């Protein structure tokens, strides 16, 4: 179990330990982005690329799957602080965070390769979703439910469908849309298009 999962405070005066941990995480992501699937990934290869010994890795992670979950989780930006002044503005903030994550080609490559092996590692996928994806889903749900309660969104709105409309539109643009840089105002456009159908 890693420091991130336990929430334990890191002892002071350990910059070398933090540097080693970052090197291990970076090496893991680099190897995956270079085309090495999770099944081919090994602690030996990670240690070699990171320039550390295997024991250094095993002091932090009990197995490869734990390390991969932590590495993939670093690709997700922290949830933005929501102002709470309007549903529209908060939805734009949440979706804009998705745009920023998707704009990194290395991150997209790593996630595509890792997720292609999800059926082989169902527990790894479950842990990653719980740690990195569920908090985003709950934040989106909370904003939509708040909008229904405040009257900004129509009464009786199917919250799950509203979430699907917003996240599905973002997924199309970030994963299957036209090649090239994403529009700077993509989050705003998606939110406004969705609100045309979700508002009272």
């Amino acid at each position: 179990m890693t420091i991130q999962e336990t929430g334990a405070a890191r002892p002071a005066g350990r910059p070398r330990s933090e540097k080693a941990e970052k090197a291990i995480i970076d090496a893991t992501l680099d190897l995956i982005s270079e085309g090495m699937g999770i099944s081919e990934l090994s602690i030996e290869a990670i240690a070699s690329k990171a320039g550390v010994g295997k024991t250094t890795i095993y002091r932090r992670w009990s197995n490869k799957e734990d390390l991969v979950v932590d590495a993939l989780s670093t690709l997700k930006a922290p949830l933005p602080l929501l102002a709470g002044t309007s549903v529209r503005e908060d939805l734009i903030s949440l979706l804009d965070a998705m745009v920023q994550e998707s704009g990194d080609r290395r991150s997209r490559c790593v996630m595509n390769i890792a997720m292609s092996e999800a059926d082989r590692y169902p527990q790894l996928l479950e842990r990653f979703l719980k740690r990195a994806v569920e908090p985003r889903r709950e934040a989106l749900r909370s904003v939509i439910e708040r909008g229904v309660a405040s009257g900004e969104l129509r009464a009786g709105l199917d919250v799950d469908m509203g979430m699907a409309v917003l996240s599905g539109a973002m997924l199309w643009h970030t994963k299957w849309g036209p090649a090239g840089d994403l529009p700077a105002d993509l989050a705003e456009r998606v939110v406004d298009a969705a609100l045309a159908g979700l508002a009272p």
Side-chain angles (χ1 to χ4, degrees), residues 47-95:
S48 176
K49 193 169 187 66
V52 301
K54 290 192 295 183
T55 55
T56 302
I57 295 178
Y58 282 120
R59 279 199 296 267
R60 293 162 173 77
W61 295 276
S62 59
N63 54 57
K64 177 178 70 175
E65 287 75 17
D66 288 348
L67 171 52
V68 171
V69 169
D70 273 5
L72 294 180
S73 297
T74 66
L75 300 178
K76 293 292 185 181
L79 280 170
L81 293 175
L82 303 180
T85 53
S86 77
V87 166
R88 178 180 180 274
E89 293 304 317
D90 285 353
L91 289 176
I92 290 174
S93 294
L94 288 173
L95 267 59

mmCIF file of all heavy atoms in Angstrom, residues 47-95:
data_model
loop_
_atom_site.group_PDB
_atom_site.id
_atom_site.type_symbol
_atom_site.label_atom_id
_atom_site.label_comp_id
_atom_site.label_asym_id
_atom_site.label_seq_id
_atom_site.Cartn_x
_atom_site.Cartn_y
_atom_site.Cartn_z
ATOM 1 N N ALA A 47 12.394 -0.745 -12.787
ATOM 2 C CA ALA A 47 13.561 -0.396 -11.961
ATOM 3 C C ALA A 47 14.734 0.051 -12.824
ATOM 4 O O ALA A 47 15.409 1.039 -12.517
ATOM 5 C CB ALA A 47 13.962 -1.596 -11.102
ATOM 6 N N SER A 48 14.954 -0.668 -13.926
ATOM 7 C CA SER A 48 16.059 -0.321 -14.820
ATOM 8 C C SER A 48 15.874 1.060 -15.422
ATOM 9 O O SER A 48 16.810 1.872 -15.454
ATOM 10 C CB SER A 48 16.171 -1.371 -15.932
ATOM 11 O OG SER A 48 17.171 -1.021 -16.865
ATOM 12 N N LYS A 49 14.666 1.348 -15.886
ATOM 13 C CA LYS A 49 14.406 2.653 -16.522
ATOM 14 C C LYS A 49 14.445 3.786 -15.502
ATOM 15 O O LYS A 49 14.875 4.898 -15.813
ATOM 16 C CB LYS A 49 13.055 2.642 -17.235
ATOM 17 C CG LYS A 49 12.853 3.841 -18.165
ATOM 18 C CD LYS A 49 11.649 3.650 -19.042
ATOM 19 C CE LYS A 49 11.532 4.768 -20.085
ATOM 20 N NZ LYS A 49 12.635 4.737 -21.072
ATOM 21 N N ALA A 50 13.994 3.499 -14.286
ATOM 22 C CA ALA A 50 13.964 4.534 -13.239
ATOM 23 C C ALA A 50 15.327 4.733 -12.592
ATOM 24 O O ALA A 50 15.540 5.727 -11.885
ATOM 25 C CB ALA A 50 12.939 4.166 -12.173
ATOM 26 N N GLY A 51 16.227 3.792 -12.815
ATOM 27 C CA GLY A 51 17.548 3.899 -12.204
ATOM 28 C C GLY A 51 17.546 3.602 -10.722
ATOM 29 O O GLY A 51 18.306 4.201 -9.952
ATOM 30 N N VAL A 52 16.676 2.683 -10.292
ATOM 31 C CA VAL A 52 16.590 2.310 -8.876
ATOM 32 C C VAL A 52 16.644 0.786 -8.777
ATOM 33 O O VAL A 52 16.514 0.070 -9.774
ATOM 34 C CB VAL A 52 15.291 2.822 -8.224
ATOM 35 C CG1 VAL A 52 15.195 4.335 -8.333
ATOM 36 C CG2 VAL A 52 14.061 2.163 -8.862
ATOM 37 N N GLY A 53 16.811 0.281 -7.579
ATOM 38 C CA GLY A 53 16.785 -1.151 -7.357
ATOM 39 C C GLY A 53 15.364 -1.647 -7.188
ATOM 40 O O GLY A 53 14.459 -0.879 -6.851
ATOM 41 N N LYS A 54 15.147 -2.937 -7.424
ATOM 42 C CA LYS A 54 13.801 -3.503 -7.263
ATOM 43 C C LYS A 54 13.304 -3.354 -5.831
ATOM 44 O O LYS A 54 12.105 -3.162 -5.605
ATOM 45 C CB LYS A 54 13.792 -4.978 -7.669
ATOM 46 C CG LYS A 54 13.968 -5.211 -9.158
ATOM 47 C CD LYS A 54 13.652 -6.656 -9.534
ATOM 48 C CE LYS A 54 14.643 -7.610 -8.905
ATOM 49 N NZ LYS A 54 14.387 -9.006 -9.316
ATOM 50 N N THR A 55 14.223 -3.431 -4.867
ATOM 51 C CA THR A 55 13.798 -3.303 -3.469
ATOM 52 C C THR A 55 13.226 -1.921 -3.187
ATOM 53 O O THR A 55 12.339 -1.768 -2.346
ATOM 54 C CB THR A 55 14.983 -3.571 -2.521
ATOM 55 O OG1 THR A 55 16.071 -2.698 -2.861
ATOM 56 C CG2 THR A 55 15.439 -5.009 -2.618
ATOM 57 N N THR A 56 13.718 -0.921 -3.900
ATOM 58 C CA THR A 56 13.185 0.441 -3.730
ATOM 59 C C THR A 56 11.723 0.487 -4.153
ATOM 60 O O THR A 56 10.904 1.167 -3.526
ATOM 61 C CB THR A 56 14.000 1.446 -4.571
ATOM 62 O OG1 THR A 56 15.365 1.395 -4.174
ATOM 63 C CG2 THR A 56 13.475 2.864 -4.403
ATOM 64 N N ILE A 57 11.395 -0.230 -5.202
ATOM 65 C CA ILE A 57 10.003 -0.283 -5.663
ATOM 66 C C ILE A 57 9.152 -1.073 -4.685
ATOM 67 O O ILE A 57 8.058 -0.636 -4.293
ATOM 68 C CB ILE A 57 9.934 -0.911 -7.070
ATOM 69 C CG1 ILE A 57 10.658 -0.017 -8.082
ATOM 70 C CG2 ILE A 57 8.474 -1.137 -7.490
ATOM 71 C CD1 ILE A 57 10.683 -0.565 -9.499
ATOM 72 N N TYR A 58 9.650 -2.228 -4.257
ATOM 73 C CA TYR A 58 8.852 -3.085 -3.380
ATOM 74 C C TYR A 58 8.657 -2.490 -1.988
ATOM 75 O O TYR A 58 7.750 -2.912 -1.263
ATOM 76 C CB TYR A 58 9.491 -4.475 -3.280
ATOM 77 C CG TYR A 58 9.219 -5.337 -4.494
ATOM 78 C CD1 TYR A 58 10.265 -5.831 -5.269
ATOM 79 C CD2 TYR A 58 7.907 -5.644 -4.865
ATOM 80 C CE1 TYR A 58 10.016 -6.613 -6.385
ATOM 81 C CE2 TYR A 58 7.651 -6.431 -5.983
ATOM 82 C CZ TYR A 58 8.704 -6.910 -6.740
ATOM 83 O OH TYR A 58 8.447 -7.688 -7.842
ATOM 84 N N ARG A 59 9.488 -1.529 -1.601
ATOM 85 C CA ARG A 59 9.254 -0.838 -0.332
ATOM 86 C C ARG A 59 8.027 0.057 -0.410
ATOM 87 O O ARG A 59 7.444 0.416 0.628
ATOM 88 C CB ARG A 59 10.478 0.000 0.060
ATOM 89 C CG ARG A 59 11.582 -0.800 0.718
ATOM 90 C CD ARG A 59 12.531 0.102 1.483
ATOM 91 N NE ARG A 59 13.243 1.024 0.622
ATOM 92 C CZ ARG A 59 14.447 0.776 0.106
ATOM 93 N NH1 ARG A 59 15.052 -0.375 0.369
ATOM 94 N NH2 ARG A 59 15.047 1.662 -0.665
ATOM 95 N N ARG A 60 7.637 0.431 -1.655
ATOM 96 C CA ARG A 60 6.513 1.334 -1.826
ATOM 97 C C ARG A 60 5.261 0.638 -2.358
ATOM 98 O O ARG A 60 4.149 1.039 -2.036
ATOM 99 C CB ARG A 60 6.916 2.465 -2.795
ATOM 100 C CG ARG A 60 7.975 3.386 -2.228
ATOM 101 C CD ARG A 60 8.668 4.188 -3.320
ATOM 102 N NE ARG A 60 9.568 5.182 -2.767
ATOM 103 C CZ ARG A 60 10.769 4.918 -2.276
ATOM 104 N NH1 ARG A 60 11.225 3.672 -2.274
ATOM 105 N NH2 ARG A 60 11.520 5.888 -1.779
ATOM 106 N N TRP A 61 5.458 -0.356 -3.200
ATOM 107 C CA TRP A 61 4.327 -1.060 -3.809
ATOM 108 C C TRP A 61 4.533 -2.560 -3.658
ATOM 109 O O TRP A 61 5.614 -3.074 -3.947
ATOM 110 C CB TRP A 61 4.206 -0.698 -5.292
ATOM 111 C CG TRP A 61 3.876 0.731 -5.532
ATOM 112 C CD1 TRP A 61 2.632 1.297 -5.526
ATOM 113 C CD2 TRP A 61 4.794 1.799 -5.821
ATOM 114 N NE1 TRP A 61 2.725 2.650 -5.781
ATOM 115 C CE2 TRP A 61 4.046 2.985 -5.974
ATOM 116 C CE3 TRP A 61 6.180 1.853 -5.973
ATOM 117 C CZ2 TRP A 61 4.617 4.212 -6.265
ATOM 118 C CZ3 TRP A 61 6.775 3.072 -6.253
ATOM 119 C CH2 TRP A 61 5.992 4.238 -6.398
ATOM 120 N N SER A 62 3.490 -3.263 -3.255
ATOM 121 C CA SER A 62 3.626 -4.700 -3.016
ATOM 122 C C SER A 62 3.636 -5.498 -4.310
ATOM 123 O O SER A 62 4.120 -6.627 -4.342
ATOM 124 C CB SER A 62 2.502 -5.196 -2.105
ATOM 125 O OG SER A 62 1.232 -4.936 -2.696
ATOM 126 N N ASN A 63 3.081 -4.928 -5.389
ATOM 127 C CA ASN A 63 3.064 -5.648 -6.660
ATOM 128 C C ASN A 63 2.917 -4.655 -7.813
ATOM 129 O O ASN A 63 2.711 -3.455 -7.605
ATOM 130 C CB ASN A 63 1.928 -6.684 -6.695
ATOM 131 C CG ASN A 63 0.582 -6.058 -6.377
ATOM 132 O OD1 ASN A 63 0.150 -5.120 -7.041
ATOM 133 N ND2 ASN A 63 -0.089 -6.559 -5.345
ATOM 134 N N LYS A 64 3.006 -5.188 -9.017
ATOM 135 C CA LYS A 64 2.963 -4.355 -10.223
ATOM 136 C C LYS A 64 1.626 -3.638 -10.357
ATOM 137 O O LYS A 64 1.577 -2.467 -10.760
ATOM 138 C CB LYS A 64 3.219 -5.232 -11.447
ATOM 139 C CG LYS A 64 3.124 -4.514 -12.777
ATOM 140 C CD LYS A 64 3.445 -5.439 -13.928
ATOM 141 C CE LYS A 64 2.376 -6.475 -14.157
ATOM 142 N NZ LYS A 64 2.633 -7.305 -15.362
ATOM 143 N N GLU A 65 0.521 -4.333 -10.043
ATOM 144 C CA GLU A 65 -0.798 -3.737 -10.213
ATOM 145 C C GLU A 65 -0.972 -2.493 -9.340
ATOM 146 O O GLU A 65 -1.536 -1.489 -9.774
ATOM 147 C CB GLU A 65 -1.893 -4.766 -9.908
ATOM 148 C CG GLU A 65 -2.058 -5.834 -10.984
ATOM 149 C CD GLU A 65 -0.935 -6.870 -10.958
ATOM 150 O OE1 GLU A 65 -0.230 -6.954 -9.926
ATOM 151 O OE2 GLU A 65 -0.764 -7.580 -11.968
ATOM 152 N N ASP A 66 -0.479 -2.567 -8.090
ATOM 153 C CA ASP A 66 -0.570 -1.397 -7.203
ATOM 154 C C ASP A 66 0.174 -0.208 -7.801
ATOM 155 O O ASP A 66 -0.302 0.938 -7.761
ATOM 156 C CB ASP A 66 0.031 -1.716 -5.828
ATOM 157 C CG ASP A 66 -0.840 -2.642 -5.008
ATOM 158 O OD1 ASP A 66 -1.999 -2.858 -5.382
ATOM 159 O OD2 ASP A 66 -0.345 -3.163 -3.982
ATOM 160 N N LEU A 67 1.342 -0.481 -8.344
ATOM 161 C CA LEU A 67 2.149 0.584 -8.945
ATOM 162 C C LEU A 67 1.447 1.178 -10.163
ATOM 163 O O LEU A 67 1.413 2.407 -10.333
ATOM 164 C CB LEU A 67 3.523 0.036 -9.339
ATOM 165 C CG LEU A 67 4.438 0.943 -10.177
ATOM 166 C CD1 LEU A 67 4.604 2.305 -9.537
ATOM 167 C CD2 LEU A 67 5.797 0.262 -10.364
ATOM 168 N N VAL A 68 0.870 0.340 -10.999
ATOM 169 C CA VAL A 68 0.194 0.833 -12.205
ATOM 170 C C VAL A 68 -1.008 1.701 -11.829
ATOM 171 O O VAL A 68 -1.249 2.745 -12.452
ATOM 172 C CB VAL A 68 -0.238 -0.339 -13.110
ATOM 173 C CG1 VAL A 68 -1.138 0.159 -14.242
ATOM 174 C CG2 VAL A 68 0.989 -1.027 -13.694
ATOM 175 N N VAL A 69 -1.779 1.286 -10.823
ATOM 176 C CA VAL A 69 -2.920 2.096 -10.385
ATOM 177 C C VAL A 69 -2.456 3.479 -9.954
ATOM 178 O O VAL A 69 -3.037 4.500 -10.332
ATOM 179 C CB VAL A 69 -3.679 1.405 -9.232
ATOM 180 C CG1 VAL A 69 -4.695 2.363 -8.597
ATOM 181 C CG2 VAL A 69 -4.410 0.170 -9.745
ATOM 182 N N ASP A 70 -1.385 3.534 -9.155
ATOM 183 C CA ASP A 70 -0.863 4.829 -8.712
ATOM 184 C C ASP A 70 -0.369 5.654 -9.890
ATOM 185 O O ASP A 70 -0.597 6.869 -9.964
ATOM 186 C CB ASP A 70 0.278 4.627 -7.715
ATOM 187 C CG ASP A 70 -0.213 4.477 -6.287
ATOM 188 O OD1 ASP A 70 -1.443 4.432 -6.086
ATOM 189 O OD2 ASP A 70 0.628 4.400 -5.373
ATOM 190 N N ALA A 71 0.324 5.003 -10.823
ATOM 191 C CA ALA A 71 0.869 5.724 -11.981
ATOM 192 C C ALA A 71 -0.249 6.297 -12.838
ATOM 193 O O ALA A 71 -0.205 7.469 -13.237
ATOM 194 C CB ALA A 71 1.756 4.788 -12.806
ATOM 195 N N LEU A 72 -1.266 5.491 -13.132
ATOM 196 C CA LEU A 72 -2.380 5.974 -13.952
ATOM 197 C C LEU A 72 -3.126 7.103 -13.254
ATOM 198 O O LEU A 72 -3.586 8.053 -13.903
ATOM 199 C CB LEU A 72 -3.350 4.824 -14.258
ATOM 200 C CG LEU A 72 -2.826 3.695 -15.140
ATOM 201 C CD1 LEU A 72 -3.909 2.639 -15.335
ATOM 202 C CD2 LEU A 72 -2.337 4.209 -16.483
ATOM 203 N N SER A 73 -3.232 7.017 -11.939
ATOM 204 C CA SER A 73 -3.968 8.047 -11.191
ATOM 205 C C SER A 73 -3.293 9.407 -11.279
ATOM 206 O O SER A 73 -3.959 10.441 -11.182
ATOM 207 C CB SER A 73 -4.126 7.631 -9.727
ATOM 208 O OG SER A 73 -4.900 6.452 -9.617
ATOM 209 N N THR A 74 -1.966 9.420 -11.469
ATOM 210 C CA THR A 74 -1.271 10.706 -11.575
ATOM 211 C C THR A 74 -1.619 11.440 -12.865
ATOM 212 O O THR A 74 -1.347 12.636 -12.986
ATOM 213 C CB THR A 74 0.263 10.528 -11.512
ATOM 214 O OG1 THR A 74 0.719 9.799 -12.671
ATOM 215 C CG2 THR A 74 0.679 9.800 -10.247
ATOM 216 N N LEU A 75 -2.203 10.729 -13.835
ATOM 217 C CA LEU A 75 -2.570 11.365 -15.097
ATOM 218 C C LEU A 75 -3.844 12.189 -14.957
ATOM 219 O O LEU A 75 -4.168 12.980 -15.841
ATOM 220 C CB LEU A 75 -2.762 10.308 -16.188
ATOM 221 C CG LEU A 75 -1.535 9.446 -16.511
ATOM 222 C CD1 LEU A 75 -1.894 8.410 -17.561
ATOM 223 C CD2 LEU A 75 -0.374 10.316 -16.987
ATOM 224 N N LYS A 76 -4.576 11.980 -13.873
ATOM 225 C CA LYS A 76 -5.807 12.720 -13.641
ATOM 226 C C LYS A 76 -5.506 13.973 -12.837
ATOM 227 O O LYS A 76 -4.956 13.900 -11.741
ATOM 228 C CB LYS A 76 -6.827 11.846 -12.891
ATOM 229 C CG LYS A 76 -7.348 10.668 -13.692
ATOM 230 C CD LYS A 76 -8.214 11.142 -14.841
ATOM 231 C CE LYS A 76 -8.839 9.994 -15.596
ATOM 232 N NZ LYS A 76 -9.672 10.458 -16.730
ATOM 233 N N ALA A 77 -5.868 15.106 -13.390
ATOM 234 C CA ALA A 77 -5.652 16.365 -12.679
ATOM 235 C C ALA A 77 -6.561 16.435 -11.455
ATOM 236 O O ALA A 77 -7.627 15.811 -11.427
ATOM 237 C CB ALA A 77 -5.940 17.549 -13.610
ATOM 238 N N PRO A 78 -6.149 17.175 -10.424
ATOM 239 C CA PRO A 78 -7.023 17.338 -9.259
ATOM 240 C C PRO A 78 -8.361 17.954 -9.667
ATOM 241 O O PRO A 78 -8.420 18.752 -10.611
ATOM 242 C CB PRO A 78 -6.232 18.290 -8.355
ATOM 243 C CG PRO A 78 -4.815 18.153 -8.808
ATOM 244 C CD PRO A 78 -4.875 17.879 -10.280
ATOM 245 N N LEU A 79 -9.409 17.564 -8.978
ATOM 246 C CA LEU A 79 -10.711 18.154 -9.270
ATOM 247 C C LEU A 79 -10.655 19.661 -9.035
ATOM 248 O O LEU A 79 -10.093 20.116 -8.034
ATOM 249 C CB LEU A 79 -11.791 17.541 -8.375
ATOM 250 C CG LEU A 79 -12.332 16.178 -8.801
ATOM 251 C CD1 LEU A 79 -13.212 15.588 -7.700
ATOM 252 C CD2 LEU A 79 -13.111 16.276 -10.089
ATOM 253 N N PRO A 80 -11.233 20.448 -9.937
ATOM 254 C CA PRO A 80 -11.207 21.900 -9.745
ATOM 255 C C PRO A 80 -12.095 22.324 -8.582
ATOM 256 O O PRO A 80 -13.077 21.643 -8.254
ATOM 257 C CB PRO A 80 -11.764 22.422 -11.080
ATOM 258 C CG PRO A 80 -12.643 21.316 -11.581
ATOM 259 C CD PRO A 80 -11.953 20.050 -11.168
ATOM 260 N N LEU A 81 -11.711 23.419 -7.960
ATOM 261 C CA LEU A 81 -12.571 23.985 -6.916
ATOM 262 C C LEU A 81 -13.758 24.660 -7.595
ATOM 263 O O LEU A 81 -13.576 25.499 -8.483
ATOM 264 C CB LEU A 81 -11.785 24.995 -6.077
ATOM 265 C CG LEU A 81 -10.655 24.420 -5.218
ATOM 266 C CD1 LEU A 81 -9.879 25.546 -4.533
ATOM 267 C CD2 LEU A 81 -11.208 23.443 -4.190
ATOM 268 N N LEU A 82 -14.953 24.295 -7.199
ATOM 269 C CA LEU A 82 -16.156 24.832 -7.834
ATOM 270 C C LEU A 82 -16.663 26.047 -7.061
ATOM 271 O O LEU A 82 -16.778 26.017 -5.831
ATOM 272 C CB LEU A 82 -17.244 23.752 -7.905
ATOM 273 C CG LEU A 82 -16.836 22.475 -8.647
ATOM 274 C CD1 LEU A 82 -17.990 21.479 -8.661
ATOM 275 C CD2 LEU A 82 -16.376 22.782 -10.069
ATOM 276 N N ALA A 83 -16.969 27.102 -7.805
ATOM 277 C CA ALA A 83 -17.423 28.336 -7.163
ATOM 278 C C ALA A 83 -18.803 28.178 -6.544
ATOM 279 O O ALA A 83 -19.124 28.818 -5.542
ATOM 280 C CB ALA A 83 -17.437 29.474 -8.186
ATOM 281 N N GLY A 84 -19.645 27.359 -7.159
ATOM 282 C CA GLY A 84 -20.981 27.146 -6.619
ATOM 283 C C GLY A 84 -21.947 28.271 -6.898
ATOM 284 O O GLY A 84 -23.053 28.305 -6.355
ATOM 285 N N THR A 85 -21.544 29.215 -7.757
ATOM 286 C CA THR A 85 -22.423 30.358 -8.041
ATOM 287 C C THR A 85 -23.479 30.023 -9.086
ATOM 288 O O THR A 85 -24.577 30.559 -9.054
ATOM 289 C CB THR A 85 -21.588 31.559 -8.526
ATOM 290 O OG1 THR A 85 -20.769 31.149 -9.632
ATOM 291 C CG2 THR A 85 -20.696 32.068 -7.409
ATOM 292 N N SER A 86 -23.139 29.142 -10.020
ATOM 293 C CA SER A 86 -24.117 28.728 -11.018
ATOM 294 C C SER A 86 -23.763 27.339 -11.525
ATOM 295 O O SER A 86 -22.590 26.958 -11.560
ATOM 296 C CB SER A 86 -24.167 29.718 -12.188
ATOM 297 O OG SER A 86 -23.050 29.533 -13.050
ATOM 298 N N VAL A 87 -24.795 26.601 -11.904
ATOM 299 C CA VAL A 87 -24.577 25.261 -12.442
ATOM 300 C C VAL A 87 -23.756 25.337 -13.720
ATOM 301 O O VAL A 87 -22.853 24.522 -13.949
ATOM 302 C CB VAL A 87 -25.931 24.566 -12.695
ATOM 303 C CG1 VAL A 87 -25.755 23.317 -13.557
ATOM 304 C CG2 VAL A 87 -26.585 24.204 -11.372
ATOM 305 N N ARG A 88 -24.054 26.305 -14.561
ATOM 306 C CA ARG A 88 -23.324 26.423 -15.826
ATOM 307 C C ARG A 88 -21.834 26.576 -15.598
ATOM 308 O O ARG A 88 -21.020 25.887 -16.215
ATOM 309 C CB ARG A 88 -23.860 27.612 -16.629
ATOM 310 C CG ARG A 88 -23.115 27.839 -17.949
ATOM 311 C CD ARG A 88 -23.680 29.039 -18.715
ATOM 312 N NE ARG A 88 -22.972 29.242 -19.978
ATOM 313 C CZ ARG A 88 -21.844 29.944 -20.106
ATOM 314 N NH1 ARG A 88 -21.300 30.529 -19.027
ATOM 315 N NH2 ARG A 88 -21.257 30.062 -21.292
ATOM 316 N N GLU A 89 -21.447 27.495 -14.713
ATOM 317 C CA GLU A 89 -20.030 27.747 -14.485
ATOM 318 C C GLU A 89 -19.334 26.528 -13.874
ATOM 319 O O GLU A 89 -18.198 26.204 -14.236
ATOM 320 C CB GLU A 89 -19.852 28.970 -13.579
ATOM 321 C CG GLU A 89 -20.279 30.289 -14.217
ATOM 322 C CD GLU A 89 -19.556 30.544 -15.537
ATOM 323 O OE1 GLU A 89 -18.333 30.306 -15.592
ATOM 324 O OE2 GLU A 89 -20.219 30.955 -16.502
ATOM 325 N N ASP A 90 -20.028 25.843 -12.970
ATOM 326 C CA ASP A 90 -19.414 24.669 -12.349
ATOM 327 C C ASP A 90 -19.271 23.521 -13.348
ATOM 328 O O ASP A 90 -18.274 22.793 -13.332
ATOM 329 C CB ASP A 90 -20.243 24.212 -11.142
ATOM 330 C CG ASP A 90 -20.053 25.123 -9.939
ATOM 331 O OD1 ASP A 90 -19.186 26.017 -10.015
ATOM 332 O OD2 ASP A 90 -20.762 24.949 -8.937
ATOM 333 N N LEU A 91 -20.246 23.341 -14.222
ATOM 334 C CA LEU A 91 -20.140 22.310 -15.241
ATOM 335 C C LEU A 91 -18.993 22.608 -16.203
ATOM 336 O O LEU A 91 -18.247 21.713 -16.592
ATOM 337 C CB LEU A 91 -21.456 22.181 -16.016
ATOM 338 C CG LEU A 91 -22.638 21.568 -15.261
ATOM 339 C CD1 LEU A 91 -23.891 21.588 -16.126
ATOM 340 C CD2 LEU A 91 -22.323 20.131 -14.826
ATOM 341 N N ILE A 92 -18.845 23.872 -16.558
ATOM 342 C CA ILE A 92 -17.740 24.253 -17.442
ATOM 343 C C ILE A 92 -16.403 23.953 -16.764
ATOM 344 O O ILE A 92 -15.470 23.438 -17.403
ATOM 345 C CB ILE A 92 -17.836 25.748 -17.822
ATOM 346 C CG1 ILE A 92 -19.025 25.969 -18.765
ATOM 347 C CG2 ILE A 92 -16.543 26.222 -18.479
ATOM 348 C CD1 ILE A 92 -19.295 27.423 -19.078
ATOM 349 N N SER A 93 -16.287 24.221 -15.477
ATOM 350 C CA SER A 93 -15.037 23.945 -14.752
ATOM 351 C C SER A 93 -14.717 22.459 -14.767
ATOM 352 O O SER A 93 -13.573 22.058 -14.999
ATOM 353 C CB SER A 93 -15.147 24.438 -13.302
ATOM 354 O OG SER A 93 -15.246 25.846 -13.252
ATOM 355 N N LEU A 94 -15.722 21.621 -14.525
ATOM 356 C CA LEU A 94 -15.501 20.177 -14.503
ATOM 357 C C LEU A 94 -15.116 19.648 -15.882
ATOM 358 O O LEU A 94 -14.194 18.839 -16.020
ATOM 359 C CB LEU A 94 -16.763 19.463 -14.002
ATOM 360 C CG LEU A 94 -17.073 19.610 -12.511
ATOM 361 C CD1 LEU A 94 -18.433 19.001 -12.189
ATOM 362 C CD2 LEU A 94 -15.985 18.946 -11.671
ATOM 363 N N LEU A 95 -15.811 20.102 -16.905
ATOM 364 C CA LEU A 95 -15.524 19.620 -18.252
ATOM 365 C C LEU A 95 -14.205 20.178 -18.779
ATOM 366 O O LEU A 95 -13.509 19.509 -19.545
ATOM 367 C CB LEU A 95 -16.676 19.965 -19.208
ATOM 368 C CG LEU A 95 -17.739 18.864 -19.360
ATOM 369 C CD1 LEU A 95 -18.370 18.521 -18.016
ATOM 370 C CD2 LEU A 95 -18.809 19.278 -20.351
#
